[in-house]
Amino acid sequence: MTDNEIILRYKQTRDKELVGELFRRYARFVCLVCMKYLKEEEQAKDAAMQVFEELFEKLKKHEIQNFKPWLHSVAKNHCLILLRKKKRLPVFQEDLFREFPDPVESKLLLHLSDEKESLLTKLENAILSLNKEQRTCIELFYLKKMCYQEVAAKTGYSDKQVKSYIQNGKRNLRLILERDD
């Protein structure tokens, strides 16, 4: 069976073995795509498995003409989301306590926490001051962790519009936050 026949049959029957066949055909391909972005073999293997787990739902929702390029995009977007999350991992409080064990110095932690809260409040207010399109795209992309295609599907905007609203929204946020400093 061709990839498209497998997908069509999966949509009709929900037989998970059919996704298993796609896995057998494309596991190495997806793993290599993930390796390109994540650079660590174990992380790439885990990400590839997550991509195939997502297929059970994604195949039901999307009309796919060319499976391999579509799968490449899904894998790439999954890895980019993982990388974005990895960049934003907060410093754990216990690490800070090891660095500042003295109770007097722990007041610094409270100050840092207050400062972080203040920055988050400023960011929330800045997001609210964006126009509706930019605000919606920024919130869905960064806060709800949706990919461009998911934002486009949810909002009805084209992919190019979504990218433009996000790019312009980021620029406007930076200008608003710089102005308020």
Side-chain angles (χ1 to χ4, degrees), residues 88-110:
R88 291 190 193 142
L89 286 177
V91 176
F92 292 102
Q93 295 295 337
E94 60 196 47
D95 293 339
L96 288 173
F97 280 118
R98 268 188 239 119
E99 215 173 307
F100 302 108
D102 183 44
V104 173
E105 290 178 345
S106 68
K107 288 182 181 179
L108 176 63
L109 293 177
L110 293 174

Side-chain angles (χ1 to χ4, degrees), residues 44 93 126 140 165:
Q93 295 295 337
L140 293 174
Y165 290 141

Side-chain angles (χ1 to χ4, degrees), residues 3 21-37 44-45 47-49 51-52 55 66-77 79:
D3 296 339
E21 176 58 30
L22 293 173
F23 175 79
R24 283 185 281 285
R25 291 181 186 184
Y26 293 104
R28 189 174 189 291
F29 169 74
V30 171
C31 202
L32 289 172
V33 171
C34 292
M35 187 67 185
K36 175 182 174 184
Y37 290 94
K45 287 178 182 177
M49 289 305 294
V51 167
F52 280 101
L55 285 187
N66 297 311
F67 180 70
K68 191 172 181 180
W70 178 83
L71 183 61
H72 182 278
S73 294
V74 169
K76 178 183 84 169
N77 288 339
C79 291

Side-chain angles (χ1 to χ4, degrees), residues 2 7 11 20 27 39 47 50 55 60 62 65 76 78 80 92 100 111 113 127-128 136 143 149-150 153 156 174:
T2 67
I7 293 166
K11 286 182 177 188
K39 310 290 189 226
Q50 292 165 356
L55 285 187
K60 294 177 198 173
H62 297 280
Q65 301 302 318
K76 178 183 84 169
H78 182 80
L80 293 176
F92 292 102
F100 302 108
H111 175 70
S113 178
I127 289 172
L128 290 173
T136 301
L143 303 178
Q149 292 83 4
E150 291 169 326
R174 187 177 63 250

Side-chain angles (χ1 to χ4, degrees), residues 71-158:
L71 183 61
H72 182 278
S73 294
V74 169
K76 178 183 84 169
N77 288 339
H78 182 80
C79 291
L80 293 176
I81 288 168
L82 290 176
L83 290 171
R84 214 178 315 146
K85 284 180 184 177
K86 192 175 182 180
K87 279 185 182 179
R88 291 190 193 142
L89 286 177
V91 176
F92 292 102
Q93 295 295 337
E94 60 196 47
D95 293 339
L96 288 173
F97 280 118
R98 268 188 239 119
E99 215 173 307
F100 302 108
D102 183 44
V104 173
E105 290 178 345
S106 68
K107 288 182 181 179
L108 176 63
L109 293 177
L110 293 174
H111 175 70
L112 290 174
S113 178
D114 290 344
E115 203 172 289
K116 185 177 179 182
E117 187 65 35
S118 172
L119 286 172
L120 287 173
T121 302
K122 285 180 183 178
L123 181 59
E124 285 175 10
N125 291 333
I127 289 172
L128 290 173
S129 70
L130 295 173
N131 70 40
K132 179 185 174 231
E133 294 85 2
Q134 291 174 1
R135 181 175 60 247
T136 301
C137 290
I138 292 280
E139 287 173 348
L140 293 174
F141 187 73
Y142 287 105
L143 303 178
K144 302 281 187 199
K145 306 281 191 244
M146 292 182 176
C147 66
Y148 288 125
Q149 292 83 4
E150 291 169 326
V151 174
K154 183 154 180 99
T155 60
Y157 305 139
S158 71

